[in-house]
Amino acid sequence: MIELRTPREIEEMRPAGAFVAQVLTEIRETTRVGTNLLEIDALAHQRIRERGAESCYIDYHPSFGASPFGKVICTSVNDAVLHGLPHDYALQDGDLLTIDFAVAVEGWVSDSALSFVVGGAKGERGAKDERLITTSEEALAAGIAAAQPGGKIGDISAAIAEVGHGAGYRINTDFGGHGVGRTMHGDPHVPNNGRKGRGFPLRPGLVIAIEPWFLETTDEIYTDPDGWTLRSADGSRGAHSEHTIAITENGPLVLTDRG
């Protein structure tokens, strides 16, 4: 069921969005070469406890997951692009890291993700990574700009695909954006490829996560033996950018804006 939120409810969702943005920014600023993925998860868990928030991940067990996730943040490295399960791994110089974080604050959920190169981009490999990350960010911006009242979900999907395809990337549509509210994942589905003018109407009060993710040279993925982490079929790298937005009378409102 797709629920539309009142202006008051959207205001009540702002603290969750601000908290998610704050934690992602802190993690990006404090992650260094040698930082362990389990340290990142511990920091996120500490911030959740301090805020009195509730993790959307730790007990999450959908049909595609091998078991409850058990951690509070997704950490996807290099050829991993989605659902990266934190494990005992110290980040190396040049690793491409994606962090994806969703929590509930006072009953309202926000969800956001970003990608960056640990230690900074260097050489040809770094240039390719930065192009991939920038493309995902530009696709997210295009999808948000297309999220106008009176439009359709397909307008968002088409805008994302135009940027991704324009950069030469193929697009997997197994996973994409989704409705957000009292739970992390709801209707409608927001694919990263589609046709303008198709799909569910974009009405004021609709709250969704828009999340383009691209792989460098393939659109095929497989699940890691940990039962969660999704990796590229050919070992190429991935990047993922995501914001939770609300459709308002005046256009899209980014609830997870990092300023």
Side-chain angles (χ1 to χ4, degrees):
M1 182 175 67
I2 298 173
E3 297 184 74
L4 301 180
R5 304 301 175 184
T6 66
R8 179 176 177 177
E9 287 176 324
I10 290 173
E11 286 300 308
E12 291 173 351
M13 299 179 83
R14 284 182 181 269
F19 175 68
V20 167
Q22 174 190 336
V23 173
L24 287 177
T25 298
E26 180 180 5
I27 291 172
R28 179 172 188 168
E29 291 176 349
T30 58
T31 296
R32 301 285 186 269
V33 174
T35 298
N36 194 292
L37 299 182
L38 294 177
E39 293 179 76
I40 293 174
D41 183 71
L43 174 59
H45 210 157
Q46 179 182 347
R47 295 294 179 258
I48 288 171
R49 288 192 296 267
E50 292 170 348
R51 183 62 174 81
E54 182 180 352
S55 171
C56 293
Y57 291 159
I58 197 162
D59 295 322
Y60 186 52
H61 190 188
S63 59
F64 57 80
S67 61
F69 191 71
K71 304 296 182 183
V72 300
I73 192 168
C74 295
T75 54
S76 304
V77 182
N78 295 334
D79 62 322
V81 68
L82 295 175
H83 309 160
L85 186 64
H87 58 284
D88 185 11
Y89 174 77
L91 290 163
Q92 300 179 29
D93 191 22
D95 278 346
L96 198 170
L97 174 64
T98 295
I99 48 177
D100 190 350
F101 189 54
V103 300
V105 174
E106 297 173 358
W108 293 109
V109 172
S110 267
D111 188 5
S112 186
L114 60 86
S115 297
F116 61 97
V117 178
V118 178
K122 301 176 182 69
E124 182 180 357
R125 176 67 268 167
K128 289 181 178 180
D129 290 343
E130 287 298 333
R131 180 174 183 268
L132 183 62
I133 293 168
T134 298
T135 301
S136 74
E137 294 172 341
E138 291 175 347
L140 176 58
I144 293 171
Q148 299 295 331
K152 298 289 183 67
I153 288 291
D155 300 345
I156 299 172
S157 303
I160 290 170
E162 183 176 2
V163 174
H165 287 150
Y169 301 126
R170 295 161 64 185
I171 299 174
N172 178 290
T173 55
D174 292 345
F175 295 91
H178 49 87
V180 178
R182 294 292 188 182
T183 60
M184 176 172 59
H185 288 149
D187 293 328
H189 177 57
V190 187
N192 289 324
N193 196 357
R195 295 177 62 184
K196 292 182 180 179
R198 300 291 184 91
F200 188 79
L202 300 176
R203 298 170 180 158
L206 181 67
V207 181
I208 54 176
I210 300 175
E211 50 177 314
W213 58 277
F214 304 130
L215 297 167
E216 194 171 30
T217 56
T218 184
D219 58 5
E220 297 183 6
I221 55 177
Y222 72 94
T223 304
D224 191 83
D226 66 17
W228 274 100
T229 304
L230 296 180
R231 298 184 181 276
S232 67
D234 64 359
S236 62
R237 294 189 173 195
H240 175 199
S241 297
E242 177 183 16
H243 275 309
T244 295
I245 73 161
I247 308 295
T248 75
E249 296 281 0
N250 298 318
L253 170 67
V254 181
L255 295 170
T256 51
D257 182 41
R258 295 185 289 275

